[in-house]
Amino acid sequence: MAIIELKHVHYAYGVGTSFEKQALNNISFSVDPGDFLAIVGHTGSGKSTLIRHLNGLLRPDSGQVFIHGKDLWSQMKDRRSVRFQIGLVFQYPETQLFEDTVGKDIAFGPKNMGLNEQEVKQRVQEALAFVGLDASYLERNPFRLSGGEMRRVAIAGVLAMRPSVLVLDEPTAGLDFDGRALILQQLEQFRIKSGAAIILVTHNMDDIAEHAQRVIVLHEGRMVLSGTTASVFSEADILKQCGLDVPQITRVLIKLKERGLPVRTDAITLEAAEREILKLFREGG
């Protein structure tokens, strides 16, 4: 059974006013355990609005949101518990920090789940280790950490609740290559170890190519593409019309193809492109 399923979701801001804007239009998709789904789209496409529907922060004007098969707005009485199951990390997650020590900040979610002190302590330690920080951070002030460390603490606070789905809105924004790679590697390890699903909202096509299994493309509140990562990136013209691009390595292969070289353009990772180019040399291209 899918963890999350959306059916024909519509949502508008400012309904009945001169500022009314349709933010989501007929959105349907599902998320299964272990999925790694990327949601992409130009600024204003509806990405942030969409993910706020996944844990009940926003209610659709029409359509349905199901969590583990139950309608979030008609069958589930305890919608607060959904926030523990669907962990949402906003863009620049360090703004979610508010306690005076790292340990207290990570413990906030588990404590509100009603867990006993020993369980809370264990979850805090596990989450901190998972994001690559040691126990010396527990008593440190989170606001005196580096930007990358603050972000990892914020993510650890969500991981400590052990969500079924981890939703992240541009978690690597503003980070350098190494910082971005570290966070994405940690998220991948969490997905594999826990069996949880990850939904990643990002503009970075290379990150998507490296990690995502499926991609949804939003444009002006509509789903214009949905499918495997390779199939979505093969639609370079549609992506361009939406103000998006394909991974850098895919652009290289497209240029080679335009020059008449017999290469496939559906390679989306460095390893796949390397195999394609080596094959070209072996065949005398």
Side-chain angles (χ1 to χ4, degrees):
M1 177 186 291
I3 304 173
I4 300 174
E5 185 176 10
L6 274 65
K7 292 186 177 181
H8 310 295
V9 167
H10 293 256
Y11 184 81
Y13 291 106
V15 176
T17 73
S18 58
F19 300 102
E20 182 171 336
K21 176 180 175 7
Q22 190 72 36
L24 298 176
N25 196 324
N26 197 31
I27 304 295
S28 298
F29 68 92
S30 62
V31 180
D32 294 325
D35 274 354
F36 199 129
L37 171 68
I39 299 176
V40 300
H42 203 267
T43 301
S45 62
K47 304 185 302 298
S48 295
T49 300
L50 173 58
I51 63 174
R52 282 165 171 76
H53 281 76
L54 304 182
N55 69 350
L57 289 178
L58 291 177
R59 181 173 184 167
D61 296 329
S62 63
Q64 295 170 292
V65 179
F66 294 91
I67 306 296
H68 294 294
K70 291 185 177 182
D71 190 312
L72 178 57
W73 293 100
S74 66
Q75 292 178 286
M76 299 187 71
K77 295 181 180 179
D78 184 14
R79 280 185 287 275
R80 180 173 173 270
S81 67
V82 173
R83 313 271 162 83
F84 303 136
Q85 300 175 54
I86 315 297
L88 180 55
V89 182
F90 293 108
Q91 189 174 8
Y92 299 108
E94 53 268 30
T95 61
Q96 295 175 227
L97 302 175
F98 60 92
E99 292 282 9
D100 59 0
T101 71
V102 166
K104 289 180 183 178
D105 219 300
I106 298 174
F108 181 81
K111 282 184 176 179
N112 278 273
M113 296 172 70
L115 302 176
N116 63 52
E117 185 177 345
Q118 183 58 37
E119 178 68 13
V120 170
K121 182 179 180 180
Q122 181 180 344
R123 289 193 180 205
V124 169
Q125 292 172 338
E126 287 180 358
L128 192 67
F130 222 107
V131 297
L133 300 176
D134 60 46
S136 68
Y137 281 83
L138 288 172
E139 298 303 320
R140 294 177 64 176
N141 187 319
F143 302 103
R144 294 182 179 176
L145 303 178
S146 70
E149 289 171 334
M150 291 173 71
R151 193 160 302 187
R152 282 188 272 169
V153 169
I155 292 173
V158 177
L159 293 182
M161 295 185 288
R162 297 181 183 172
S164 299
V165 181
L166 182 60
V167 186
L168 304 108
D169 190 357
E170 297 282 2
T172 61
L175 299 181
D176 60 18
F177 176 83
D178 290 338
R180 197 171 73 239
L182 178 61
I183 284 181
L184 289 170
Q185 182 183 32
Q186 289 161 345
L187 293 175
E188 183 67 26
Q189 289 174 353
F190 169 74
R191 183 185 71 85
I192 293 170
K193 183 176 179 179
S194 68
I198 289 179
I199 299 176
L200 179 67
V201 175
T202 182
H203 285 89
N204 192 303
M205 296 303 192
D206 295 298
D207 289 346
I208 293 171
E210 195 67 35
H211 296 279
Q213 300 164 335
R214 295 191 295 130
V215 180
I216 289 173
V217 179
L218 294 181
H219 183 62
E220 297 181 349
R222 294 179 179 273
M223 283 176 56
V224 295
L225 288 173
S226 177
T228 65
T229 306
S231 68
V232 168
F233 282 147
S234 71
E235 302 288 353
D237 290 341
I238 296 176
L239 290 171
K240 188 174 181 180
Q241 291 168 16
C242 296
L244 302 170
D245 208 341
V246 294
Q248 293 182 26
I249 196 65
T250 307
R251 292 203 300 271
V252 170
L253 292 173
I254 290 172
K255 289 294 184 183
L256 292 174
K257 185 79 170 181
E258 289 173 351
R259 292 180 178 226
L261 295 173
V263 295
R264 294 175 53 183
T265 58
D266 58 356
I268 58 175
T269 66
L270 185 61
E271 291 77 13
E274 181 182 28
R275 289 195 297 269
E276 194 62 25
I277 291 172
L278 285 174
K279 185 177 72 172
L280 183 66
F281 279 104
R282 286 195 297 269
E283 295 175 355

